[in-house]
Amino acid sequence: MRPGSLSAACAAVLRRDLLLAWRRRGDIALPVLYALIVTTLFPFALGPNDDLLARVAGGVVLVTVLLAMLLAFDALFRPDLEDGSLEQLMLAPQPLALMLGMKILAHWLSTALPLIVIAPMLASMLHLPAHANAVLILALLVATPLLSLLGAVLVALTAGTRRSGMLLALMLLPLCVPVVIFAAGAVSAAQQGLPWIAPIAWLGAALALLLILAPLACAAALRIAVDA
Amino acid sequence: MKWIPLWMHRLSSPPTFYRFATVMRPWFMALAVILTAVGLYGGLVTAPADYQQGDAFRIIYIHVPSAEMSLFVYGVMAAAGFIAVVWRLKLAESVAMQSAPIGAAFTFITLVTGSLWGYPTWGTWWTWDARLTSELVLLFLYLGVIGLYHAFEDRRQGARAASFLVLVGVINLPIVHYSVKWWNTLHQGTTVRLFGASKIEGDMLWPLLVMMGAVHLYWAASLCGRVRTDLLSLESGKQWVRDLAQREGR
């Protein structure tokens, strides 16, 4: 790879973000702990009834993962915005959308992937049957990149603001209704022994679309939110 | 026909729009009040009671116009937001951002009247029906737009960012609507809307149409008023506002 070429720039951004995430390993563990604690609270709130817990397990794990990802979104652009490296990225000759795509990928690897790894354990704590658990992992593998891409656009819009946590929730949660519906639909269909591939395929189609559109939208949003 | 683009072009300048809004607002408001009075009289007094729902159906004269407005205002907001993002017209930014609270109010009224209507007829205040749920999502989207606009220190930047969110919502709203529909029919398909708009008697229909005209006029009046004050504060350093303040202050 020639230095300064597109692929070298992509690799550099990806490597830098992953390295930064690795240096702050504690931050990676926080969303995972959060998801674990929230899931633990559900049996206390609903009562230790195994049938009831098994029925809501898929939905609970999905919503918990979504909320844990929401908490981590703030770290997507804020540190880079504060130390000025995001402006450098915007001034770079390489297309901003592609660079942001790499940042989103690194963010997904460092926050969503640990959550997917721990999700089967959370689901088994709530007595989700094993075959539905496999579908849950598949659904999460397709749904979490969708959430990352969708969230990145909205995080970019709030990048220039002071208080963005609750605001981001207000903006993101209505927009990710379809993701929750299809992912939870697949899990509950698998639980009832019905064919579950259709909702996953819908999610996959949406992911293919957003993989192209979301980085472009993210770049446009960032240019609006950062340059005054 | 060349005067139409010319007129639109002139109108997009804040002082011209300010004068236009000042002149038009009382007319819009007066017509809205008259039409509301006529429509409510027709709806609450002259229209016959429904054979199934009795007098409970009369809330349709508030509910349906507001529901229609909640979508109409989003459409206007999206069109203005598109202009604001692409051409950065100050007036378009103002129209888009001042539309949001009006649309949110109409959406809220739709939800409240809908649940008031649902209790006597369906037997429940709320059900996770496709239409109800997408209307609720629409309300959240409006609130998100308002919240994003106010989160920025620079108002024009906030307006552009929130306009972008409006455009993202335009793409997403149909997806939300259809996914909710799909989700709903998977679980329960029995919730039926009691009657469609086309199957309504003439005596019941004309007050509804009058009320729809009234809410559009009220919206126009409200938008004129909001945009006027917004333009004054946005352009407070400009000469035309200074002139205006000196004339009015005397």
Side-chain angles (χ1 to χ4, degrees):
Chain A
M1 277 190 295
R2 216 154 32 79
S5 71
L6 202 56
S7 45
C10 286
V13 170
L14 191 62
R15 188 172 164 276
R16 167 183 178 276
D17 275 21
L18 287 177
L19 195 64
L20 280 175
W22 182 245
R23 293 272 157 81
R24 305 158 140 241
R25 288 183 283 275
D27 286 3
I28 300 183
L30 277 180
V32 174
L33 271 177
Y34 171 85
L36 184 64
I37 288 165
V38 170
T39 316
T40 320
L41 285 177
F42 271 90
F44 293 131
L46 300 175
N49 179 340
D50 288 3
D51 289 342
L52 176 67
L53 288 179
R55 208 148 23 106
V56 298
V60 166
V61 173
L62 274 167
V63 172
T64 308
V65 166
L66 169 61
L67 293 180
M69 286 182 71
L70 187 68
L71 284 185
F73 268 136
D74 200 41
L76 182 51
F77 294 132
R78 187 165 298 278
D80 290 347
L81 197 65
E82 275 164 4
D83 67 13
S85 53
L86 201 61
E87 269 106 344
Q88 297 301 317
L89 209 60
M90 290 168 76
L91 292 173
Q94 284 82 18
L96 179 61
L98 206 59
M99 301 294 109
L100 291 179
M102 288 300 127
K103 285 189 82 67
I104 298 168
L105 175 63
H107 188 258
W108 181 79
L109 287 174
S110 62
T111 57
L113 209 54
L115 286 170
I116 297 176
V117 170
I118 184 185
M121 194 191 90
L122 300 179
S124 339
M125 275 164 62
L126 300 174
H127 306 292
L128 190 73
H131 66 282
N133 220 331
V135 178
L136 176 69
I137 298 171
L138 189 62
L140 280 174
L141 277 173
V142 193
T144 49
L146 260 175
L147 293 175
S148 283
L149 288 165
L150 205 55
V153 178
L154 301 181
V155 174
L157 276 180
T158 58
T161 64
R162 291 261 175 281
R163 49 200 160 86
S164 61
M166 286 310 291
L167 183 63
L168 187 65
L170 185 60
M171 287 157 56
L172 179 64
L173 296 186
L175 293 183
C176 61
V177 166
V179 181
V180 174
I181 287 177
F182 285 119
V187 177
S188 80
Q191 241 172 319
Q192 292 162 15
L194 298 169
W196 44 263
I197 196 71
I200 301 278
W202 275 106
L203 286 176
L207 180 59
L209 195 66
L210 270 196
L211 269 179
I212 307 299
L213 290 183
L216 292 170
C218 191
L222 205 59
R223 285 197 197 282
I224 290 173
V226 171
D227 94 66
Chain B
M1 292 305 276
K2 245 186 175 164
W3 60 274
I4 293 179
L6 189 67
W7 181 73
M8 296 285 279
H9 186 70
R10 287 224 180 105
L11 197 60
S12 70
S13 108
T16 317
F17 187 86
Y18 181 86
R19 280 195 296 275
F20 171 80
T22 313
V23 174
M24 295 308 284
R25 185 165 180 268
W27 290 100
F28 284 143
M29 198 50 120
L31 272 174
V33 169
I34 293 169
L35 284 187
T36 308
V38 172
L40 281 186
Y41 180 77
L44 300 185
V45 181
T46 66
D50 187 68
Y51 81 101
Q52 215 174 9
Q53 301 184 20
D55 283 334
F57 96 98
R58 293 185 198 275
I59 204 167
I60 194 177
Y61 298 111
I62 307 290
H63 180 73
V64 171
S66 329
E68 199 258 337
M69 285 311 283
S70 68
L71 295 173
F72 174 80
V73 173
Y74 199 92
V76 172
M77 191 167 77
F82 182 77
I83 297 173
V85 169
V86 176
W87 290 288
R88 302 194 169 193
L89 279 187
K90 200 178 269 181
L91 180 66
E93 289 167 10
S94 184
V95 166
M97 287 308 104
Q98 297 308 315
S99 289
I102 307 177
F106 275 120
T107 314
F108 183 70
I109 292 171
T110 308
L111 287 169
V112 169
T113 53
S115 71
L116 285 178
W117 192 6
Y119 192 68
T121 51
W122 290 348
T124 171
W125 298 107
W126 181 260
T127 168
W128 293 98
D129 172 79
R131 279 203 178 182
L132 278 69
T133 314
S134 8
E135 192 74 11
L136 190 63
V137 170
L138 184 64
L139 178 65
F140 291 151
L141 206 53
Y142 272 122
L143 295 181
V145 169
I146 296 170
L148 184 61
Y149 174 53
H150 289 292
F152 279 85
E153 311 233 320
D154 183 77
R155 287 172 62 192
R156 295 202 57 189
Q157 197 187 355
R160 277 201 297 277
S163 299
F164 195 86
L165 178 63
V166 172
L167 295 181
V168 174
V170 168
I171 302 166
N172 210 65
L173 262 187
I175 301 175
V176 171
H177 182 76
Y178 284 106
S179 64
V180 164
K181 218 171 194 166
W182 184 85
W183 160 70
N184 175 268
T185 45
L186 185 74
H187 284 79
Q188 53 161 77
T190 51
T191 314
V192 187
R193 294 216 25 115
L194 289 178
F195 56 117
S198 54
K199 294 185 221 151
I200 183 168
E201 194 63 41
D203 284 348
M204 294 178 177
L205 183 60
W206 72 259
L208 187 60
L209 295 180
V210 170
M211 282 305 288
M212 282 189 166
V215 283
H216 278 92
L217 285 164
Y218 169 76
W219 162 79
S222 173
L223 188 66
C224 278
R226 296 188 70 96
V227 171
R228 261 182 75 199
T229 45
D230 191 45
L231 284 179
L232 278 187
S233 67
L234 269 178
E235 301 252 282
S236 52
K238 297 279 172 65
Q239 189 60 41
W240 69 271
V241 178
R242 222 170 282 160
D243 290 347
L244 200 77
Q246 266 168 359
R247 239 179 306 140
E248 303 275 312
R250 235 160 246 166

